[in-house]
Structure formats: C-alpha cells, structure tokens
C-alpha cells in the first residue's frame, strides 16, 4: 500500500496518485485512467483542442491508451482508431511488430499490428497517443510500427509528460508529472 501521494490536477479533474517505487532509486506517481470515465472524458476533450488538424488516424498501444483513444476519436468525430496489440493473435493476418521497453513494464514487450490496421495507417497522417510519456520508449515503438505500416507521423500526444519528457517541444500534453526518489 502506498504511503506517499501526489496531487494531480489535469483537465479540471483532481486525483491523488500513489507514489510507487519502480527501481531502487526511482518512484513514479501511478496514473491509471482505466475505469475512470470522468477523467478520460475530460482529458480527451482537452487533448482534442491540441490535436494537429491534419490528423487522420489515432494510434495507441494496448492497454491504458485504449479508453483515451476511444474518447478522443469521439471528440474528433472519427469512426475508428488503431490499437497496437501486445502480442500477435491467431486471427491476425500479415502482422508486423516491434519491440518496446517501458519503465512501467518489466522486460521487453512486443507491439504489433495486423494487416487490416496496417491498411488503415498506410498513407495516412497518424497521431501517436498514450496516457503518459516518460522515457519515450512506447512512442518510439509506435513510431516504428507506423513507419512500417506506411503512415506519416503528425504528432505525439499524451495526457501527462513525466520527468524530462515535459521539456520536449514536440510533445503534445496536458500536464507535467514529476518523478520521485524511491523510498
């Protein structure tokens, strides 16, 4: 059970985030949008105002980006969005994949797209989307996937830019989130 908390206000919503150790030296504030309809809706509406006008496709990674992508697609009047899956499924045909490293996931994971999603991205202006960007590992993997699928990246967006990611001039985000020393 977390003993420390960080108060976050984003898109007019306030949440108390538990501060959790991820290594012996580093702790992060646990930001979980899954299941939080109020937070997801408010953040999607706020991000919609910042999305590049030329965006044709939203691409996010499984799992935490999915509700945000769904709500942002609604706000932008898009009928679909694309999810990079964490494993190749039996029903996937002509799948492509890349490896991904994230500070919140132990080890290396795969992100993959099937042929139908590749076709949705090919030749389109793609906005990469995630809940939090910290080291940029997941965005790098999404970029590689979009490139393999023939898409053109028009931006990277997230709700929170964690640590040094908040210094990036090319990243679209709503609020900065600090990193913490592990205790």
């Amino acid at each position: 059970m977390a003993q420390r908390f960080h108060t976050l206000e984003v898109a007019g919503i306030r949440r108390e985030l538990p501060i959790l150790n991820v290594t012996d030296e580093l702790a992060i504030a646990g930001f979980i949008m899954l299941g939080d309809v109020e937070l997801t809706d408010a953040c999607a509406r706020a991000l919609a105002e910042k999305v590049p006008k030329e965006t044709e496709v939203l691409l996010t990674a499984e799992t935490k980006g999915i509700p945000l992508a769904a709500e942002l697609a609604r706000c932008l009047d898009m009928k679909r969005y694309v999810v990079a899956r964490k494993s190749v499924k039996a029903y996937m045909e002509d799948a492509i994949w890349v490896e991904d490293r994230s500070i919140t996931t132990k080890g290396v994971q795969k992100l993959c797209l099937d042929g139908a999603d590749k076709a949705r991205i090919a030749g389109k202006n793609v906005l990469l989307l995630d809940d939090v960007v910290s080291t940029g590992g997941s965005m790098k993997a999404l970029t590689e996937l979009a490139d393999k699928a023939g898409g053109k990246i028009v931006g990277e967006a997230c709700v929170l830019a964690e640590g040094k990611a908040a210094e990036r001039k090319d990243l679209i985000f709503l609020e900065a989130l600090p990193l913490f020393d592990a205790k």
Side-chain angles (χ1 to χ4, degrees):
M1 186 68 120
Q3 301 297 312
R4 300 186 294 163
F5 294 88
H6 173 74
T7 301
L8 172 74
E9 187 160 331
V10 60
I13 306 294
R14 179 179 290 244
R15 294 291 183 264
E16 294 296 320
L17 307 181
I19 299 174
L20 307 164
N21 294 345
V22 290
T23 70
D24 291 340
E25 294 86 32
L26 178 67
I28 62 171
F31 179 71
I32 308 297
M33 293 183 77
L34 286 174
D36 193 332
V37 176
E38 178 186 38
L39 180 65
T40 301
D41 179 57
C43 290
R45 281 187 276 115
L47 272 177
E49 297 175 13
K50 297 181 171 213
V51 169
K53 299 295 181 218
E54 65 271 24
T55 300
E56 297 174 283
V57 177
L58 301 176
L59 174 61
T60 193
E62 190 176 51
T63 297
K64 293 191 298 180
I66 294 172
L68 179 62
E71 194 56 40
L72 183 55
R74 276 189 206 89
C75 291
L76 298 173
D77 202 29
M78 294 179 165
K79 299 201 183 307
R80 295 192 68 94
Y81 58 93
V82 176
V83 177
R85 304 294 304 268
K86 290 183 180 178
S87 62
V88 177
K89 306 297 182 189
Y91 57 80
M92 292 180 161
E93 294 182 343
D94 195 25
I96 57 172
W97 64 88
V98 298
E99 290 188 346
D100 175 28
R101 284 189 182 272
S102 166
I103 65 169
T104 56
T105 304
K106 290 185 180 180
V108 176
Q109 68 179 2
K110 282 185 181 179
L111 287 180
C112 59
L113 295 173
D114 70 2
D117 285 334
K118 284 189 328 190
R120 288 182 182 99
I121 289 173
K124 298 287 183 4
N125 292 326
V126 179
L127 178 71
L128 307 180
L129 181 66
D130 209 349
D131 59 338
V132 179
V133 170
S134 187
T135 63
S138 296
M139 286 295 188
K140 181 177 182 278
L142 287 173
T143 297
E144 289 176 37
L145 266 182
D147 287 346
K148 280 186 173 187
K152 178 185 175 213
I153 307 300
V154 295
E156 297 180 13
C158 59
V159 173
L160 302 176
E162 188 172 52
K164 290 189 180 195
E167 298 170 11
R168 289 179 49 185
K169 301 297 182 217
D170 65 324
L171 184 63
I172 300 162
F173 64 95
L174 299 178
E175 295 294 336
L177 185 65
L179 293 170
F180 302 88
D181 291 329
K183 288 190 178 181

